[in-house]
Amino acid sequence: MLPGLGSLLPGPPACVLLLLLAAAPAAARCPMLCTCYPAPPTVSCQANNFSAVPRALPPGTQRLFLQNNLIGALRPGSFGPSLLTLWLFSNNLSAIYPGTFRHLQALEELDLGDNRHLRSLEPDTFQGLERLQSLHLYRCQLSSLPGTIFRGLVSLQYLYLQENSLVHLQEAIAGPANHPRRKASLSVSGLWISSCDPLPTPTWTALLLPHPGLGPDCPAPCASDADSDSNDSNSNPAFIEHQDDLFADLANLSHLFLHGNRLRLLTEHVFRGLGSLDRLLLHGNRLQGVHRAAFRGLGRLTILYLFNNSLASLPGEALADLPSLEFLRLNANPWACDCRARPLWAWFQRARVSSSDVTCASPPERRGRDLRALREADFQACPPAAPTRPGGRARANSSSNHLYGVAEAGAPPADPSTLYRDLPAEDARGSPGGDAPTEEDYWGGYGSEDRRGEQTCPGAACQAPPDSRAPARAPGLAAPLLCLLILAPHHL
């Protein structure tokens, strides 16, 4: 050995350290094209044209950002069990294989939004995510949801389902029918839904038609019996059975965003289980009917948006189930201000909520008037309605033009269509959305919950309103009873 060479070579401890570093597994390294941070353990791989989840993720990663890539499928084993936050929005997802998230028991936020090829989800997609608090499924192409898709998500607080293609929120199964043009009819609190077109499977598409349930081109075999108010499968050959447990496990959910879908009907108890819900956004759908018990159990709801739908009437009893309601938007609907408007009008007389305009679209003599400003005399030709209990908190002002920025001419306010994150590739999170100034306090935390950066009813001919509590009368009962009363004295 040359003199002095021994002093240049590392000693035994240094050799051991170098050997350990050389033998370190490749998994501990940051994936190529990604950026890693130590505290908290974070891997950011956004906007790098990845077509699959990187395989060499450091163990113990708690935050993984994979948004704005080209990932097409998610498979089991792609993610470590330490994940708390997983962003996959704005990718090319079309398939999520069963078991992908099953072992992510610590996961708190999952963002799968803005994946326009994601058309369906397996019933057990989110199984095991008991600590999940925020689930983003906005702006996909989901047309239906399995009845058990949210089963076990007991910690979920924020659910983003806006801008999909959802037609219904309940699994519906049509009964047997032998006719090629299958019929589906259902009586919902005086609202009749009938469809003469073939029913797709498994999706039920219902068309709300004017009472008594006959469409303009509906053939006689497809006619609904207007005198029958039975949902018994024995009496209705095309009985529709609904499953209303979609949200049954979401007792902690506070925000539910469903705007921008294709919903046509809110059926009875459709929001069963959402006792903590604070905000429900349903604007921009195709709603034509609301069951009088649709909102039952939502005792903590403060914000309800139903504007920009196809509602001609709304049962006052449905709103009376919302004692905490503070902000209500009903504008941009074709409101019929005939006898059908009386239950909603009566509710407005008792409830003090901040409301948008409710502009009449019909009849012609009331077009342009505000339904809330109608008088009792406008309903004098209508049969008396059952009293509706008031709902909503008392407020000092129920005017709408100032609160919602509506012009005096009744123009609808700006549509808050950006109530989800619009995220450019260079921005990890968009700025929080908002609404009218009077609701700023309610929307201040939107998007940062994780604390990071039709029947016509002309005058006296109209029938009782849908939410009337008058008992149904069996058809053909009055005449025989009258005959018995007349003949009885002759047999005494």
Side-chain angles (χ1 to χ4, degrees):
M1 179 179 295
L2 296 175
L5 183 58
S7 61
L8 298 177
L9 292 176
C15 290
V16 173
L17 180 59
L18 289 175
L19 289 173
L20 290 176
L21 291 175
R29 302 171 186 170
C30 191
M32 186 176 297
L33 301 179
C34 299
T35 304
C36 298
Y37 306 92
T42 301
V43 178
S44 178
C45 303
Q46 58 176 321
N48 279 311
N49 292 325
F50 285 115
S51 59
V53 178
R55 296 183 179 180
L57 293 174
T61 299
Q62 295 182 4
R63 302 197 304 170
L64 178 57
F65 302 139
L66 288 166
Q67 68 270 23
N68 293 294
N69 282 291
L70 301 174
I71 300 173
L74 300 178
R75 294 175 171 82
S78 299
F79 310 107
S82 300
L83 274 181
L84 300 177
T85 301
L86 177 57
W87 290 359
L88 286 156
F89 61 86
S90 300
N91 270 278
N92 198 30
L93 288 177
S94 60
I96 301 177
Y97 289 88
T100 296
F101 307 121
R102 186 166 300 165
H103 302 294
L104 307 186
Q105 298 179 358
L107 194 65
E108 296 178 354
E109 181 180 9
L110 176 60
D111 193 334
L112 298 168
D114 195 26
N115 280 283
R116 317 234 172 180
H117 299 286
L118 191 59
R119 302 181 184 276
S120 63
L121 295 170
E122 295 297 324
D124 61 347
T125 298
F126 306 117
Q127 182 178 347
L129 302 182
E130 296 180 356
R131 297 186 182 181
L132 192 67
Q133 299 177 16
S134 182
L135 177 58
H136 302 257
L137 292 167
Y138 59 88
R139 209 189 297 166
C140 298
Q141 289 294 325
L142 299 174
S143 59
S144 63
L145 296 170
T148 59
I149 187 68
F150 304 127
R151 188 67 52 84
L153 304 185
V154 295
S155 301
L156 197 64
Q157 300 178 35
Y158 302 87
L159 181 55
Y160 301 83
L161 292 168
Q162 68 266 29
E163 301 224 4
N164 279 282
S165 301
L166 297 175
V167 176
H168 56 82
L169 296 175
Q170 297 173 318
E171 287 189 329
I173 304 173
N178 343 350
H179 202 277
R181 293 172 62 81
R182 296 167 57 188
K183 178 192 77 168
S185 61
L186 175 66
S187 173
V188 182
S189 183
L191 295 174
W192 281 86
I193 304 94
S194 180
S195 174
C196 298
D197 296 325
L199 297 177
T201 304
T203 303
W204 171 53
T205 54
L207 175 64
L208 186 66
L209 299 172
H211 188 82
L214 298 179
D217 302 317
C218 201
C222 186
S224 301
D225 183 5
D227 296 327
S228 172
D229 194 27
S230 172
N231 287 339
D232 187 0
S233 58
N234 295 326
S235 61
N236 189 343
F239 173 66
I240 300 294
E241 180 180 1
H242 289 273
Q243 202 174 35
D244 54 8
D245 294 330
L246 181 63
F247 307 115
D249 285 357
L250 307 186
N252 289 308
L253 194 73
S254 63
H255 295 60
L256 178 56
F257 301 100
L258 287 162
H259 51 283
N261 280 283
R262 302 177 182 179
L263 301 176
R264 298 186 179 184
L265 181 70
L266 298 182
T267 52
E268 183 178 11
H269 302 306
V270 64
F271 301 112
R272 185 198 304 272
L274 300 181
S276 298
L277 196 64
D278 180 73
R279 301 164 206 190
L280 176 59
L281 273 59
L282 289 158
H283 57 278
N285 276 278
R286 302 177 182 180
L287 289 175
Q288 297 175 330
V290 176
H291 192 281
R292 62 184 180 185
F295 303 131
R296 192 155 296 171
L298 305 185
R300 298 185 183 180
L301 194 72
T302 64
I303 295 178
L304 175 62
Y305 284 179
L306 288 167
F307 66 89
N308 195 20
N309 277 288
S310 299
L311 292 170
S313 62
L314 181 64
E317 187 175 354
L319 297 178
D321 283 327
L322 305 175
S324 300
L325 190 64
E326 297 186 9
F327 299 101
L328 176 65
R329 295 187 63 178
L330 298 174
N331 52 288
N333 280 288
W335 296 108
C337 292
D338 48 24
C339 291
R340 287 173 289 177
R342 183 167 188 167
L344 180 58
W345 172 85
W347 179 84
F348 270 117
Q349 307 314 302
R350 297 173 175 85
R352 304 282 294 177
V353 298
S354 295
S355 168
S356 65
D357 281 347
V358 188
T359 305
C360 300
S362 64
E365 62 271 17
R366 294 178 187 170
R367 185 176 301 150
R369 294 180 60 183
D370 195 311
L371 182 149
R372 301 168 302 168
L374 297 178
R375 300 166 298 174
E376 181 69 37
D378 294 320
F379 301 104
Q380 62 182 357
C382 302
T388 301
R389 60 187 182 280
R393 293 179 182 174
R395 294 183 61 85
N397 191 343
S398 62
S399 174
S400 62
N401 288 350
H402 171 70
L403 290 174
Y404 292 89
V406 182
E408 292 299 324
D415 185 343
S417 58
T418 56
L419 293 179
Y420 47 81
R421 299 184 299 231
D422 259 329
L423 301 165
E426 65 276 9
D427 188 6
R429 180 72 56 156
S431 60
D435 203 69
T438 53
E439 302 177 30
E440 184 175 359
D441 293 338
Y442 289 85
W443 293 102
Y446 187 92
S448 58
E449 60 275 3
D450 49 5
R451 306 186 187 278
R452 294 183 319 262
E454 318 224 304
Q455 168 194 2
T456 58
C457 193
C462 66
Q463 301 185 5
D467 62 346
S468 174
R469 296 188 179 183
R473 184 174 60 185
L477 180 60
L481 182 59
L482 182 60
C483 292
L484 289 176
L485 292 176
I486 294 175
L487 295 175
H490 299 282
H491 295 278
L492 294 178

